[in-house]
Amino acid sequence: MTGYAMLRSGGVGNGGQTCMLRWSNRIRLTWLSFTLFIILVFFPLIAHYYLTTLDEADEAGKRIFGPRAGSELCEVKHVLDLCRIRESVSEELLQLEAKRQELNSEIARLNLKIEACKKSIENAKQDLLQLKNVISQTEHSYKELMAQNQPKLSLPIRLLPEKDDAGLPLPKATWGCRLHNCFDYSRCPLTSGFPVYVYDSDQFAFGSYLDPLVKQAFQATTRTNIYVTDNADIACLYVILVGEMQEPIVLRPADLEKQLHSLPHWRTDGHNHVIINLSRKSDTQNLLYNISTGRAMVAQSTFYAAQYRAGFDLVVSPLVHAMSEPNFMEIPPQVPVKRKYLFTFQGEKIESLRSSLQEARSFEEEMEGDPPADYDDRIIATLKAVQDSKLDQVLVEFTCKNQPKPSLPTEWALCGEREDRLELLKLSTFALIITPGDPRLVISAGCATRLFEALEVGAVPVVLGEQVQLPYQDMLQWNEAALVVPKPRVTEVHFLLRSLSDSDLLAMRRQGRFLWETYFSTTDSIFNTMLAMIRTRIQIPAAPIREEVAAEIPHRSGKAAGTDPNMADNGDLDLGPVETEPPYASPKYLRNFTLTVTDFYRSWNSAPGPFHLFPHTPFDPVLPSEAKFLGSGTGFRPIGGGAGGSGKEFQAALGGNVPREQFTVVMLTYEREEVLMNSLERLNGLPYLNKVVVVWNSPKLPSEDLLWPDIGVPIMVVRTEKNSLNNRFLPWNEIETEAILSIDDDAHLRHDEIMFGFRVWREARDRIVGFPGRYHAWDIPHQSWLYNSNYSCELSMVLTGAAFFHKYYAYLYSYVMPQAIRDMVDEYINCEDIAMNFLVSHITRKPPIKVTSRWTFRCPGCPQALSHDDSHFHERHKCINFFVRVYGYMPLLYTQFRVDSVLFKTRLPHDKTKCFKFI
């Protein structure tokens, strides 16, 4: 401390004092560093040593620094929690280690399975490749065998005649024209499609004299006709409209003849030309009587015997409805069969000098072979005698109350206005039509008008005069719709009319309605029939009918169907062997160009309507599919006639010619995705199923994240233009089978029920075969028809919510059935199933077929449909009565027939083998 005091007191100089301070600071820092090193290094070592090694050997319970036992340490209060945590963590670590080892074992086991599956997949791929090769070779062999047995000939090369062709040799007389000597077949090959070129009448001088309504109606129908072409060089037929002319006619015959011969494609003689003279009035003049028409065909309503060339010219119906469609609500019903008057006739004869001279001849002179006399006086006397006898109520008037309509000489002129004549005909069972007294006049516009009006209102025509040429007589079977009686038999007419039964009268009235609607009612029907007549004569097949192009909605598939055991509902009815082939479309007929004599005879003589007059469907070329409206009793021939059974194993017993056949499911839906998906999943594994067409009837598209089930066959989702129940029956081009199963999205059918229904349909292809049955009933207090869904021992309808029908009926429903019925369906959003039943029963005159005993097929728990609405049944009552008005009668037929399997409710002994040879 002395040195330190001396330094502080300044005992040394200033420089020495500074040096000493520095030296003292260094010594202090060194000491401090050394002291800290000793404390931090040696003290812990010494403490660790004593704590771990120093013990008193003889007093174990008094150890101060030695390690203690676990129980002793845990006695310390603040250490207890740490002990518990340590034990818990240790247990968890042990558990995790055990789980890790278990997972490692599972991973190793799965890896072994994966390797085994990979090997199995490789083997399966090899087997699949071998099977594909075998299938490919088998298909190739099958095609070779088919080619050997049924070789397909390539279409012939079409030869077009030169533009300046010299034409055919002239016939000896113009009245001797027939197809073989006045028609150039080289312009109409079988594969030409029958192109028709229509001249524009306004480009010629006579066009300004045409009746405006006739010309406008004709131009409108030619614009929409499928055969009309603008290329005259490839045309098979050339059509020119020359009448009806406006009154008074100022065009001289020589001028008209000159203009006809100057047509651009007349080619000196007019071969392959059709000159049309449409009549809108009963006194239409015969413009072409004194005109040289060469080899051109003439189509009009008035012909003289020297002018008409049978099998070449056409007798057409008058154009009564020029620019309007017939109103079905104004047409009287076809029942009751008997009306107020047995027959009626109103007319006044405007005689010529020739007819007056003929009336002076005696009956004896007629028997000696001289020209026949006019029987009109005898007809008048006989009909008046019948009227005076009061045996039946008849009405005959031979003098018009007002001024008679203008008419040709010796022709009975029409009396009154058209509306008055129709009202009288509505009260007439038969309508008398007396042909002109001049035997040279084979048909007149007045007679054709009387025939048109009688057919329109359902009065059966009775034509007095067998020399008459009725419209399209060489193609239509007029004896099924009218009575043609020679004039000498006028005294037997009353007996003949009284002898007809009610069923015969109704059949004739129904067939007359069919003829009127199909061939006479509108401008379209008249023009289409004329072209169809010529096309049939030269043996060119009809053009294929139009199909609805399906606008597919993209959707995602991949959801495995059938994973839910509740979805698999195959039923317990064992129906024997089934076809488990991939989708197979119905074969298209290849016989369109082979109209044999047998087919021709069967078509014209066994069927009231000319089947070959209309375009064909992809499945049957001989059925009428362009007719305005098919009448009942039209001789419907089941498509693929003779086909039946359930497949290969039954074809020998049933004689079927379609051993392989499948069907297409058409399912209508509207924003019920969950219900739709469940219904689609239930179709998984369904035998005979070719494809599912889902008609999406909502403007709102399906959900983008909706995953559609994979049921083993394609699912086509079709978008519609509007929400309409008529979309259910559109003939979609995606439907490649003849059989269609129309089914609601909430209908619950088992697989065995569907299979059995399909097999039954194959044996009754022309009928509706389905499951839910309904019937119609007559309400006596209200004098109207009712729709009934109660349980009954009979039925007349099978609802198309679960029914099989032929695709051919889809064409008829969409393109042929009256538009008024489809409009009614759209108005009520109801009754489309009733409309289809009306159509099929109207055509076939057969009731539908119900299969199985179940009455309802709605899925449990599904949302309510339109049929649960309170107004549903009231609307269906109205639909039935409206459809009856349109058809003119009730086409539905009752039946107490139901089809079940052979072994239905049959108890078989266990030691007996079930028989499934015939269902």
Side-chain angles (χ1 to χ4, degrees):
M1 296 296 295
T2 305
Y4 179 72
M6 290 177 59
L7 290 173
R8 292 180 60 98
S9 62
V12 186
N14 291 332
Q17 185 176 359
T18 303
C19 184
M20 287 298 294
L21 287 174
R22 292 178 179 174
W23 181 79
S24 176
N25 290 336
R26 290 177 180 175
I27 293 175
R28 186 171 55 187
L29 290 174
T30 302
W31 174 253
L32 289 175
S33 299
F34 180 77
T35 304
L36 290 174
F37 176 78
I38 294 298
I39 292 173
L40 295 176
V41 175
F42 289 97
F43 184 76
L45 293 175
I46 294 172
H48 180 268
Y49 175 78
Y50 279 100
L51 289 174
T52 57
T53 59
L54 295 181
D55 294 317
E56 292 183 2
D58 54 349
E59 296 179 4
K62 299 181 180 180
R63 288 177 295 185
I64 300 175
F65 300 105
R68 295 175 179 271
S71 58
E72 295 177 356
L73 293 176
C74 291
E75 293 177 358
V76 183
K77 185 177 182 179
H78 65 275
V79 183
L80 290 176
D81 294 338
L82 296 176
C83 292
R84 284 193 294 269
I85 293 172
R86 187 189 65 178
E87 293 175 357
S88 176
V89 170
S90 299
E91 291 179 359
E92 291 181 358
L93 289 176
L94 292 175
Q95 293 176 359
L96 290 175
E97 179 64 21
K99 289 182 178 181
R100 187 184 66 83
Q101 294 178 359
E102 182 180 355
L103 290 176
N104 288 335
S105 301
E106 184 69 20
I107 291 173
R109 186 167 54 255
L110 292 177
N111 286 333
L112 293 176
K113 288 185 177 181
I114 291 173
E115 295 297 329
C117 290
K118 287 182 178 180
K119 293 180 180 179
S120 300
I121 291 174
E122 293 296 330
N123 296 333
K125 286 182 178 180
Q126 296 294 331
D127 296 340
L128 179 61
L129 183 60
Q130 293 178 0
L131 290 175
K132 287 183 178 180
N133 293 333
V134 172
I135 293 174
S136 177
Q137 294 176 0
T138 305
E139 290 179 350
H140 183 70
S141 301
Y142 174 77
K143 291 179 180 179
E144 288 182 348
L145 293 175
M146 291 296 294
Q148 293 176 4
N149 296 328
Q150 298 178 353
K152 292 184 179 180
L153 301 178
S154 60
L155 295 177
I157 300 176
R158 182 178 180 184
L159 301 177
L160 293 177
E162 299 294 336
K163 296 181 180 179
D164 55 350
D165 57 334
L168 301 173
L170 291 174
K172 295 181 179 180
T174 56
W175 53 266
C177 258
R178 297 296 184 268
L179 288 175
H180 68 276
N181 59 0
C182 289
F183 190 84
D184 186 4
Y185 281 89
S186 66
R187 299 199 65 87
C188 305
L190 291 176
T191 59
S192 63
F194 193 60
V196 177
Y197 179 79
V198 180
Y199 289 100
D200 186 3
S201 300
D202 292 333
Q203 297 181 358
F204 306 97
F206 62 83
S208 59
Y209 301 108
L210 294 177
D211 186 311
L213 285 179
V214 173
K215 181 169 62 175
Q216 185 179 357
F218 184 77
Q219 291 174 348
T221 190
T222 55
R223 282 194 296 266
T224 59
N225 192 276
I226 59 176
Y227 295 107
V228 174
T229 179
D230 295 331
N231 189 353
D233 295 333
I234 66 171
C236 166
L237 204 66
Y238 300 87
V239 176
I240 181 66
L241 178 68
V242 298
E244 175 177 72
M245 293 287 183
Q246 300 183 69
E247 297 290 347
I249 301 176
V250 297
L251 185 64
R252 296 184 306 169
D255 295 336
L256 180 58
E257 178 179 333
K258 182 178 179 181
Q259 295 180 37
L260 289 176
H261 292 182
S262 63
L263 292 175
H265 307 283
W266 186 261
R267 298 186 180 90
T268 68
D269 57 2
H271 60 271
N272 292 45
H273 276 65
V274 180
I275 305 174
I276 300 178
N277 179 22
L278 296 177
S279 303
R280 199 168 64 89
K281 300 187 292 292
S282 61
D283 61 333
T284 300
Q285 298 297 319
N286 191 351
L287 290 175
L288 305 174
Y289 181 59
N290 293 320
I291 293 178
S292 174
T293 57
R295 285 189 170 90
M297 302 178 190
V298 177
Q300 58 183 10
S301 300
T302 301
F303 276 103
Y304 285 97
Q307 178 190 14
Y308 179 69
R309 298 165 291 184
F312 192 74
D313 293 328
L314 300 174
V315 178
V316 299
S317 172
L319 185 61
V320 177
H321 299 287
M323 292 299 296
S324 63
E325 294 285 339
N327 188 356
F328 291 101
M329 303 307 294
E330 297 179 356
I331 300 176
Q334 299 183 28
V335 290
V337 177
K338 299 293 181 60
R339 298 179 177 178
K340 179 180 180 180
Y341 298 107
L342 178 64
F343 62 84
T344 59
F345 177 80
Q346 284 182 324
E348 184 172 336
K349 186 174 182 180
I350 303 177
E351 298 177 323
S352 65
L353 178 61
R354 173 181 171 84
S355 63
S356 299
L357 293 176
Q358 285 182 346
E359 288 177 353
R361 299 180 60 85
S362 64
F363 182 76
E364 288 76 15
E365 291 176 334
E366 300 167 20
M367 298 301 294
E368 292 175 357
D370 292 334
D374 194 343
Y375 287 94
D376 289 349
D377 289 342
R378 197 170 303 167
I379 291 173
I380 293 173
T382 302
L383 296 181
K384 284 185 176 181
V386 174
Q387 185 177 20
D388 296 338
S389 67
K390 306 297 183 181
L391 294 176
D392 288 293
Q393 193 170 2
V394 299
L395 190 150
V396 290
E397 296 178 353
F398 301 103
T399 303
C400 296
K401 298 178 181 179
N402 300 319
Q403 182 68 24
K405 299 295 181 182
S407 62
L408 298 176
T410 75
E411 183 183 20
W412 288 92
L414 295 171
C415 295
E417 299 299 328
R418 167 177 159 81
E419 291 75 13
D420 299 332
R421 297 194 300 270
L422 292 180
E423 289 300 323
L424 179 60
L425 290 174
K426 291 178 182 179
L427 303 175
S428 308
T429 305
F430 296 94
L432 293 184
I433 301 174
I434 305 176
T435 58
D438 189 351
R440 302 174 304 169
L441 193 59
V442 295
I443 186 62
S444 65
C447 286
T449 302
R450 289 181 182 272
L451 178 66
F452 181 95
E453 294 176 351
L455 295 176
E456 182 178 3
V457 297
V460 178
V462 179
V463 183
L464 293 178
E466 78 285 0
Q467 81 282 0
V468 68
Q469 289 290 332
L470 298 179
Y472 322 118
Q473 184 167 321
D474 54 343
M475 294 292 184
L476 300 184
Q477 295 296 319
W478 276 105
N479 60 336
E480 298 183 357
L483 294 174
V484 180
V485 182
K487 286 185 178 181
R489 294 189 181 276
V490 64
T491 58
E492 302 172 328
V493 168
H494 186 212
F495 170 80
L496 178 62
L497 300 185
R498 287 289 300 270
S499 65
L500 292 177
S501 64
D502 289 353
S503 59
D504 292 339
L505 282 177
L506 184 58
M508 295 182 70
R509 184 175 294 164
R510 190 183 300 122
Q511 183 63 13
R513 173 76 173 269
F514 160 68
L515 296 179
W516 176 77
E517 290 180 351
T518 307
Y519 308 116
F520 305 146
S521 59
T522 62
T523 310
D524 287 342
S525 60
I526 294 175
F527 184 66
N528 289 334
T529 304
M530 284 191 291
L531 296 184
M533 287 276 293
I534 300 172
R535 179 183 52 75
T536 305
R537 286 175 176 176
I538 62 178
Q539 300 178 340
I540 293 183
I545 196 170
R546 176 173 61 93
E547 289 191 302
E548 291 293 326
V549 179
E552 184 179 4
I553 300 177
H555 60 281
R556 293 189 304 157
S557 299
K559 178 183 178 182
T563 56
D564 187 356
N566 296 324
M567 293 291 101
D569 193 0
N570 298 326
D572 55 358
L573 178 60
D574 192 354
L575 299 178
V578 298
E579 297 175 1
T580 57
E581 298 181 351
Y584 173 78
S586 296
K588 303 295 189 298
Y589 280 74
L590 303 177
R591 56 187 292 273
N592 299 348
F593 300 101
T594 58
L595 302 179
T596 63
V597 177
T598 303
D599 294 329
F600 188 84
Y601 176 81
R602 183 167 51 192
S603 297
W604 300 126
N605 293 277
S606 64
F611 279 17
H612 292 296
L613 293 186
F614 305 101
H616 61 80
T617 70
F619 302 107
D620 194 339
V622 299
L623 290 177
S625 52
E626 197 187 44
K628 288 296 294 181
F629 191 28
L630 286 179
S632 59
T634 55
F636 179 90
R637 186 147 55 98
I639 302 176
S646 61
K648 304 173 187 176
E649 64 275 10
F650 297 108
Q651 63 172 321
L654 300 178
N657 56 10
V658 187
R660 301 172 60 200
E661 189 169 15
Q662 296 177 341
F663 63 89
T664 301
V665 168
V666 176
M667 186 177 296
L668 188 73
T669 186
Y670 187 92
E671 297 183 1
R672 297 200 296 180
E673 295 180 352
E674 182 178 357
V675 175
L676 175 63
M677 295 301 107
N678 292 336
S679 297
L680 291 176
E681 288 188 18
R682 282 193 290 269
L683 300 177
N684 183 37
L686 176 62
Y688 307 108
L689 181 58
N690 176 270
K691 183 186 300 183
V692 178
V693 176
V694 177
V695 181
W696 191 264
N697 222 24
S698 171
K700 180 182 177 182
L701 296 180
S703 303
E704 295 182 358
D705 57 347
L706 182 63
L707 193 61
W708 296 69
D710 183 4
I711 60 175
V713 297
I715 297 179
M716 174 72 66
V717 185
V718 178
R719 184 176 185 178
T720 59
E721 296 181 357
K722 65 176 182 178
N723 178 20
S724 172
L725 293 180
N726 293 316
N727 296 332
R728 179 195 297 272
F729 303 124
L730 286 174
W732 303 105
N733 60 342
E734 292 295 334
I735 301 176
E736 299 178 327
T737 60
E738 297 182 27
I740 295 177
L741 172 58
S742 175
I743 187 170
D744 290 336
D745 57 359
D746 58 353
H748 192 168
L749 293 175
R750 302 194 311 267
H751 284 194
D752 60 331
E753 293 173 328
I754 297 176
M755 292 163 54
F756 180 69
F758 177 57
R759 292 178 176 180
V760 172
W761 176 87
R762 295 190 69 183
E763 301 181 40
R765 308 170 72 86
D766 60 333
R767 301 164 78 173
I768 298 178
V769 177
F771 303 90
R774 302 291 186 267
Y775 68 97
H776 67 289
W778 180 250
D779 184 8
I780 297 178
H782 297 89
Q783 293 294 295
S784 62
W785 293 102
L786 295 177
Y787 170 86
N788 204 315
S789 62
N790 296 329
Y791 293 95
S792 174
C793 61
E794 60 184 4
L795 59 90
S796 60
M797 292 175 282
V798 167
L799 302 186
T800 55
F804 286 93
F805 62 90
H806 201 286
K807 187 181 179 182
Y808 176 70
Y809 293 123
Y811 296 101
L812 298 186
Y813 185 97
S814 302
Y815 305 141
V816 178
M817 190 178 68
Q819 182 63 37
I821 296 180
R822 292 190 292 271
D823 293 340
M824 186 78 167
V825 172
D826 287 336
E827 178 182 355
Y828 286 148
I829 316 180
N830 199 343
C831 307
E832 85 287 355
D833 47 0
I834 301 178
M836 178 59 83
N837 277 270
F838 266 68
L839 175 65
V840 177
S841 296
H842 176 61
I843 293 172
T844 63
R845 303 306 302 137
K846 297 177 183 178
I849 296 178
K850 173 176 169 52
V851 293
T852 74
S853 59
R854 282 211 292 158
W855 207 259
T856 59
F857 297 86
R858 299 296 179 187
C859 65
C862 291
Q864 289 190 350
L866 294 174
S867 58
H868 293 82
D869 193 280
D870 294 337
S871 62
H872 177 74
F873 282 91
H874 297 288
E875 293 172 350
R876 294 174 86 81
H877 300 330
K878 295 179 182 178
C879 287
I880 286 185
N881 288 279
F882 178 78
F883 296 164
V884 170
R885 292 285 301 275
V886 174
Y887 283 88
Y889 76 111
M890 170 54 75
L892 298 179
L893 300 173
Y894 292 105
T895 180
Q896 296 184 357
F897 176 74
R898 192 191 78 199
V899 178
D900 288 302
S901 64
V902 173
L903 299 179
F904 178 69
K905 290 188 176 181
T906 301
R907 296 183 178 181
L908 296 176
H910 296 289
D911 58 343
K912 300 295 183 180
T913 303
K914 295 183 179 180
C915 174
F916 300 103
K917 295 300 293 180
F918 186 73
I919 298 295

